[in-house]
Amino acid sequence: MKPERIVSAKAIDDNTLMVKFTNLEIRKYDISKLLDNPMFAPLCNPAFFRSFRVEPGGFGLVWNEDIDLSEYELWQNGICLTDEEIERYIESIHRVAH
């Protein structure tokens, strides 16, 4: 089975991404385990971590020419968000906005 493509992504804290895929499923991905690898060390900087973009076609998230995560990695190792978690996140956005 080929992985779903990425529609959108958002950093929800300094280590966690919320990624929406083409099948409308939303998965949470924690980068903490990647930080042991020196290549991913820049992701420890919260401002840099939040500076990614979705690669054209939804094939991954890209920070710079050296750091990216494929849609496969995010899909396979991401954790499905429950409806309750999604609602809680949406509520937190509304509280901040008001």
Side-chain angles (χ1 to χ4, degrees):
M1 177 185 122
K2 71 178 187 159
E4 297 291 328
R5 301 275 172 77
I6 298 167
V7 173
S8 62
K10 180 149 185 68
I12 56 173
D13 62 30
D14 291 343
N15 289 325
T16 312
L17 298 164
M18 190 178 340
V19 184
K20 183 176 182 180
F21 292 89
T22 49
N23 67 351
L24 304 182
E25 190 169 311
I26 298 172
R27 293 194 179 206
K28 184 169 55 173
Y29 185 88
D30 185 344
I31 63 150
S32 298
K33 67 180 185 292
L34 302 176
L35 300 178
D36 291 337
N37 181 330
M39 182 180 102
F40 290 104
L43 296 178
C44 289
N45 175 325
F48 182 77
F49 172 64
R50 294 173 186 276
S51 71
F52 64 86
R53 61 181 165 71
V54 176
E55 194 172 86
F59 292 103
L61 300 181
V62 179
W63 281 266
N64 61 23
E65 61 185 39
D66 298 319
I67 302 174
D68 60 35
L69 290 173
S70 71
E71 83 283 15
Y72 180 82
E73 169 65 18
L74 295 162
W75 176 260
Q76 284 297 116
N77 296 308
I79 299 166
C80 288
L81 285 179
T82 64
D83 288 344
E84 184 179 298
E85 286 175 305
I86 295 167
E87 285 176 29
R88 219 177 346 191
Y89 176 71
I90 291 169
E91 286 172 13
S92 74
I93 292 172
H94 289 296
R95 278 195 303 273
V96 171
H98 290 79

